[in-house]
Amino acid sequence: MSRTRLAATAIGLAGALAASQAQAQSASSSEQEIALLKQQLKLLEQKLDKLQSQTAANTAATAKAKAEAKAEAKAEARSEAKAVVANANAAIPVKGPAPASGVVVTMPNNRPTICTADQANCVAITSRLHWDVGGYDYRPNTAATVPQKLDSGQNVRRARIGVTGKFFHDWNFALVYDFGGSSDGFGGAAPGSLPGGGVSGVENAYISYTGLKPFGGRMAVEAGIMDLPYTLDEATSSNDILFMERASPGVVATNIAAGDFRSAAGARWFNDQLWIGGYVTGPSSGAIHSASSAAPPGTSEQYGAVARVAGNPISTKDYTVHIGANAQWLIQPPRNLIANTQTVTLSDRPELRLDPTTLISTGAIANVSGAQVYSVEAAATYGPLIVQGEYFWYNVDRTANTSVPLVGAPSLKFQGGYAQAGYVLTGEGRSYNAANAAYSGVKPAHPFSLDGGGWGAWEIAGRFSTIDLNDQLATANGVAGGRQTVYTLALNWYVNGNVRFMLDYLHGTVSRQASPISTANVGSKFDAVAMRTQFAF
């Protein structure tokens, strides 16, 4: 029964009660009937309350059941959706979690280097810039002296960039191009001539295998275009040498069949105390070798060899001693097959490259069948002090039969050497590089910083060098290449591990006569001041 029907029944009973009361006002018996009706009304009200309570309970239960049914339906739908997604994922391949990166990027000495995680394969960018500026006070002895003037100015001595690295731990490589030498040679309009003398080119392009480790040491077998570690000064990086240029005696020697840009194949073995190496060498990169070129003149390829034994038998925390010996052979000199000449020239600039003119030179020595250079080297360090020296003996054989005078002339002999010393005012020293049997550069303990208060490392240095390219004077077979002596003072500021400024002062004397049989004085004197700005990584 609904609440409305119960209310109508109650109202009807109430109306009937009212009518009964009206009809029985005069009869006392009606009071009993009224009492009965009141009792019935009370019972009806109680029943009404009970029905109302039961209806409210039924309504709440129905709402709860509906909510539970709705929640159960949602859960079932959600479960079905998950099952659909799972089935779809099972049907479609899913990419797994990304593996850990196999590449490690580092910056040792600010050189960008990328390696595999196991360090078996690496590639690094390397570069150096040596920019020189300065001037000469050049004084020719007579009007017959050649040249009469040296030009001051600037020279991008080296501007190299390339890559170095390794494959599978043991295969090392390098590919470096040098854009330098902007005013380091003579250009021209002849075919093949390049601005700056064509001295720019491939400086390194080689591969080296280092997997062999015989006799308790390390071994490198290598071939390509490379900078051979022949002589102590040449084995020292140009980033680390005490002066802007190496001494002339060593430069003259390495130019014959060694030095930078040289094609070579050979091997070196070394441990912490001993270095032994030997290489077969060919022409320098960029050399024109042709059997038929007349302009520019082409020549056949030259062949040579170099050998070196060196080491540091005494090595302690405070001091070291280095000694060594070198040999070089020009086995097959270059031959011009058009002019039928076979020549070699020994020469060098006055230990500075602002002007490319040479002050000492043998000229083109004719009928050269071969040449040899033997040298000794020694060096020592004691804390911030380093001393170093080398001496060279040159021999040029002139027995080639080219039908060009002088045929069968006696061999020529020349000699030269240098001694130098450097002292780091701020106390840093130089470590020994066993791989090249040479000393590394200065690393400032407190790099220059306006914020940190460091001032880098400061070094002073001095050098004496001499070379004599005169032989058999007063004879027609002789050569008057001149004798050069140069004194050099240097101040070097190592700003940090990558930047260096160098200031050099040179005083030089060249004693030279006009020809082997003429004693006319064509020598000169000079003073020069130059500065280098350098960065390398």
Side-chain angles (χ1 to χ4, degrees), residues 436-486:
N436 285 339
Y439 289 95
S440 301
V442 174
K443 300 299 181 183
H446 304 285
F448 173 75
S449 172
L450 291 177
D451 295 331
W455 287 97
W458 292 81
E459 179 182 50
I460 55 174
R463 179 175 67 195
F464 166 79
S465 75
T466 182
I467 184 170
D468 187 353
L469 296 182
N470 296 320
D471 192 31
Q472 301 174 30
L473 297 180
T475 69
N477 294 333
V479 169
R483 180 186 181 107
Q484 174 182 278
T485 300
V486 180

Side-chain angles (χ1 to χ4, degrees), residues 401-455:
N401 185 9
T402 62
S403 302
V404 176
L406 303 162
V407 178
S411 297
L412 295 168
K413 300 184 184 301
F414 311 108
Q415 58 184 316
Y418 72 91
Q420 64 187 37
Y423 186 83
V424 183
L425 300 174
T426 47
E428 292 86 345
R430 292 173 179 262
S431 61
Y432 193 76
N433 180 3
N436 285 339
Y439 289 95
S440 301
V442 174
K443 300 299 181 183
H446 304 285
F448 173 75
S449 172
L450 291 177
D451 295 331
W455 287 97

